[in-house]
Amino acid sequence: YSFNKFHLMGSLNNGKTWDTLAHLPEVAYAITKRGNRWFVKTYDALLYSDDLFANYTKCNLPKDFFPNSVYNNVLLNVGTNLYLSCNVGICKSDDEGIIWNYISHSINNKSVNKIISNGNTILAAKQGGIYHTNDDGNSWNKSDKGIDENATIEFAQMGNTLIAATEYDGVY
């Protein structure tokens, strides 16, 4: 799946052709699907829909979570939880996206560039290093030995190998 301005697009042939699946109410900056429920992060809201956006609901997020940002938005669907990163931290929902709560207190709720999961482990790249949690975000531990702690800007995964790209210090 992909998004294109106000359309949710889908391809059934590895990206050779694309079809409109739904019309979105706003521009989408991050998207994920959990069961039949779609989640879309727009400029200043997180929306969910169970009917491909014929109808949608605004998620109940912490009051100060979205300072109108289009950068660093990642939606993850891990186990029974959903996670959302933004430039003021990470939120988690354990009730299918209805209520969201901060979980990044122990990493100071600062700008989280990217999050990625590997099984039940979630890694967060932020200004000041890479952190990981194995307990749904209840506690975070520094996990960046050997990497310039101020530069991680992107994650990728190839099989069981996690890759961190940095701004000045290379790829690990």
Side-chain angles (χ1 to χ4, degrees), residues 45-65:
L46 179 64
L47 309 174
Y48 71 87
S49 175
D50 295 322
D51 59 8
L52 274 176
F53 290 93
N55 300 287
Y56 60 91
T57 303
K58 190 174 181 178
C59 291
N60 188 6
L61 294 162
K63 176 174 87 169
D64 59 345
F65 192 72

Side-chain angles (χ1 to χ4, degrees), residues 60-62 90-94 99-105:
N60 188 6
L61 294 162
I90 301 172
C91 277
K92 175 179 87 171
S93 173
D94 58 9
I99 305 287
W100 294 77
N101 294 298
Y102 283 114
I103 61 164
S104 55
H105 299 295

Side-chain angles (χ1 to χ4, degrees), residues 1-3 8 28-41 46-49 52-53 74-78 81-84 97 100:
Y1 299 102
S2 177
F3 41 84
L8 177 65
Y29 295 100
I31 191 164
T32 196
K33 185 177 183 220
R34 182 177 191 86
N36 290 326
R37 181 166 287 178
W38 288 90
F39 293 87
V40 171
K41 166 58 178 83
L46 179 64
L47 309 174
Y48 71 87
S49 175
L52 274 176
F53 290 93
V74 178
L75 279 161
L76 282 181
N77 184 356
V78 180
N81 300 314
L82 292 158
Y83 298 87
L84 173 66
W100 294 77

Side-chain angles (χ1 to χ4, degrees), residues 122-141:
I122 298 170
L123 288 101
K126 63 180 282 309
Q127 191 70 14
I130 296 174
Y131 292 79
H132 77 274
T133 181
N134 294 315
D135 61 6
D136 297 326
N138 294 315
S139 63
W140 293 86
N141 297 297

